Amino acid sequence: MIKKLQSEAVDQLYEAILTLKTPEECHAFFEDICTVNEILSLSQRLEVAKMLDEKKTYLEIAEKTGASTATISRVNRSLTYGNGSYDVVFERMQMKDADD
């Protein structure tokens, strides 16, 4: 973990997010805590990661998401050299979809 992210305040934020139980609660909380552009940027990165995981090309991803090649490259670096959190999320989302 990046040293700057190791703080009581950051831990408190993560704990707050983990208390949310429904998509509606998430919408309300994130609308209160983030700007519209911050939410859109986060969702775009997740969409880019999913498309990279599906082996889409940078061009396909840029056209569909509007993400810059710099953003796509940054997300790709996280997928390749990061903490594996995208894989955890994708696996859990697939399990949730299978249960629905």
Side-chain angles (χ1 to χ4, degrees):
M1 182 189 293
I2 299 172
K3 196 168 193 134
K4 289 189 271 186
L5 293 179
Q6 294 177 331
S7 74
E8 190 174 322
V10 172
D11 287 346
Q12 186 176 6
L13 171 64
Y14 296 155
E15 289 296 327
I17 292 168
L18 289 170
T19 67
L20 302 171
K21 296 188 184 335
T22 66
E24 292 77 18
E25 287 180 354
C26 287
H27 281 283
F29 181 73
F30 279 91
E31 284 178 21
D32 285 348
I33 200 166
C34 296
T35 66
V36 169
N37 284 339
E38 289 168 336
I39 295 168
L40 293 174
S41 291
L42 291 170
S43 65
Q44 181 187 61
R45 289 179 192 160
L46 183 62
E47 186 175 14
V48 166
K50 188 173 181 192
M51 292 182 75
L52 284 167
D53 191 57
E54 295 168 350
K55 308 297 184 213
K56 303 291 186 197
T57 67
Y58 275 36
L59 181 59
E60 289 173 301
I61 295 167
E63 286 176 351
K64 180 162 192 275
T65 67
S68 68
T69 54
T71 295
I72 299 167
S73 179
R74 189 176 317 116
V75 172
N76 192 40
R77 224 177 2 264
S78 293
L79 282 169
T80 306
Y81 303 108
N83 298 309
S85 59
Y86 280 115
D87 292 333
V88 170
V89 168
F90 295 152
E91 182 179 321
R92 290 182 183 166
M93 289 174 77
Q94 282 182 332
M95 288 173 29
K96 183 182 177 300
D97 288 344
D99 290 343
D100 289 343

